[in-house]
Amino acid sequence: MEEVSIEKQLKGRDFLTLADYKQEELSYLLKLAEDLKKGLKANEQEQPLKGKTLGMIFEKASTRTRVSFEVGIYQLGGMGLFLSSSDLQVGRGESVSDTAKVLSGYLDGIMIRTFSQSVVEELAEQASIPVINGLTDMYHPCQILADFQTIQENKGGLRGVKLAYIGDGNNVAHSLMLGSAIMGMDMCIAVPKGFEPDPVVTNKAQMLADLHGGNVQITTDPELAVDQADVIYTDVWTSMGQEKEKTLREEAFSGFQVNRKLVSLAKADAIIMHCLPAHREEEITAEVIDGKQSVVFQQAENRLHAQKALMTALMG
């Protein structure tokens, strides 16, 4: 049987969760992101998506996701079409299925940033073009591609790297767990009791870690998590849609701030990451996020390059 190249494996695929992708496929996307970044910096940008259009559906506010996809598709020779939920008939009762079929006749790909993972999955099931999960309450796989590109740039690789995640067991934590497990990393999550990641995702990540030689642990002790860490990662304590829980969460997470004291317990060359937006002096101090070990703005820029790699592979 003829072996199918990774390029052919990826073309036309959906990108809903990292668990759907093999280690070699994620490695390919990261290498492509690196090459596209180098090409852009050298003013040698190719345009493999010339004449193609990406529909971008937004039910949640966005800075990095919208700008990186819209600029990215433009740099690749295509066009991005911003579609807020209020602009679409789906916001007035049209079914996700009908919307998927209609958009498939106009577009070459869909990126959606919404609340429910089930909406993204139904959209992908009914669409005949690639669907990219730009964020749901359950997963944020595009963010993790950029995160891993940033870690590779600073640490030379991913396998064996220890990543300490301090904070809420949210969509970013879920995708980091899955990605770290697939890539053979050592991940430790420190989270207050009652705010742990979804147990189904945790079990899946631990199974993938066993398969790929990685490790996924959960603790309530931030100091234990950062011990010998190569990367310290945090996110906001209160995500979009959780605003009513803000006071409760601030109390629960009060001992989980990434500050100078906590950073001092990691490796001396540990890097500091945050998916942004940051609430300075809550989950992370200004001193740390603006310090020499911080790579958060390199991480944010890499959203552009990682997204371009993803669109090139799936839509090219």
Side-chain angles (χ1 to χ4, degrees):
M1 184 180 293
E2 183 181 355
E3 186 174 343
V4 179
S5 68
I6 292 181
E7 289 92 337
K8 289 183 179 179
Q9 290 176 29
L10 295 178
K11 187 173 182 180
R13 287 264 295 275
D14 299 315
F15 190 71
L16 310 185
T17 168
L18 294 174
D20 296 335
Y21 278 67
K22 299 175 183 176
Q23 185 181 96
E24 58 267 30
E25 292 171 338
L26 293 179
S27 294
Y28 173 85
L29 289 171
L30 292 170
K31 179 62 169 62
L32 182 56
E34 177 189 349
D35 291 344
L36 288 169
K37 184 175 182 177
K38 288 178 180 176
L40 182 63
K41 301 293 184 185
N43 200 27
E44 297 173 352
Q45 181 67 65
E46 296 183 5
Q47 294 192 322
L49 300 186
K50 191 170 184 178
K52 299 205 172 184
T53 304
L54 176 75
M56 306 181 299
I57 302 174
F58 285 90
E59 291 188 312
K60 280 192 173 187
S62 171
T63 298
R64 282 147 291 276
T65 299
R66 177 175 178 180
V67 176
S68 58
F69 271 106
E70 196 160 342
V71 172
I73 188 77
Y74 170 77
Q75 290 181 353
L76 293 169
M79 181 182 76
L81 188 62
F82 175 81
L83 303 167
S84 75
S85 56
S86 60
D87 294 331
L88 297 173
Q89 293 294 340
V90 71
R92 298 177 62 247
E94 184 172 45
S95 69
V96 173
S97 173
D98 287 354
T99 300
K101 292 170 183 174
V102 169
L103 293 181
S104 295
Y106 300 142
L107 305 169
D108 301 287
I110 300 170
M111 187 285 299
I112 179 169
R113 181 179 172 94
T114 188
F115 294 89
S116 174
Q117 181 71 16
S118 63
V119 169
V120 178
E121 291 172 358
E122 184 180 358
L123 189 69
E125 183 179 346
Q126 298 299 325
S128 58
I129 55 178
V131 172
I132 297 170
N133 179 2
L135 175 142
T136 65
D137 288 343
M138 184 61 72
Y139 299 115
H140 198 356
C142 290
Q143 176 66 53
I144 276 57
L145 279 183
D147 296 341
F148 284 0
Q149 182 182 358
T150 307
I151 294 171
Q152 284 191 157
E153 289 172 348
N154 286 276
K155 297 297 176 183
L158 296 174
R159 178 167 291 279
V161 168
K162 180 177 179 181
L163 190 159
Y165 176 90
I166 314 298
D168 190 23
N170 60 13
N171 50 4
V172 172
H174 288 161
S175 288
L176 277 172
M177 290 166 65
L178 293 171
S180 295
I182 294 167
M183 301 310 292
M185 298 168 65
D186 178 7
M187 182 173 178
C188 188
I189 297 176
V191 57
K193 200 164 185 179
F195 295 89
E196 297 89 349
D198 185 289
V200 174
V201 179
T202 300
N203 291 337
K204 177 70 172 179
Q206 290 173 335
M207 182 187 73
L208 288 168
D210 290 341
L211 184 65
H212 294 287
N215 189 29
V216 174
Q217 293 180 299
I218 298 176
T219 180
T220 56
D221 185 353
E223 294 188 0
L224 176 65
V226 301
D227 182 47
Q228 294 302 302
D230 300 289
V231 181
I232 300 175
Y233 196 121
T234 191
D235 190 9
V236 295
W237 295 337
T238 306
S239 297
M240 283 182 285
Q242 299 172 336
E243 288 78 9
K244 292 180 180 179
E245 304 173 18
K246 181 174 172 59
T247 301
L248 170 69
R249 285 174 169 271
E250 286 176 353
E251 292 174 0
F253 286 87
S254 61
F256 288 76
Q257 185 184 72
V258 175
N259 50 36
R260 182 168 60 177
K261 179 183 176 183
L262 190 66
V263 171
S264 71
L265 302 176
K267 289 183 179 177
D269 63 348
I271 58 173
I272 310 300
M273 302 183 74
H274 193 305
C275 55
L276 300 178
H279 295 164
R280 291 163 182 254
E281 308 307 330
E282 289 186 16
E283 74 274 2
I284 191 168
T285 62
E287 177 184 31
V288 170
I289 199 170
D290 293 327
K292 292 182 178 179
Q293 291 172 262
S294 173
V295 296
V296 297
F297 296 109
Q298 176 186 354
Q299 180 186 359
E301 182 197 325
N302 281 340
R303 289 291 302 276
L304 171 65
H305 311 299
Q307 253 86 276
K308 286 167 67 176
L310 191 57
M311 290 186 287
T312 298
L314 304 187
M315 296 168 58

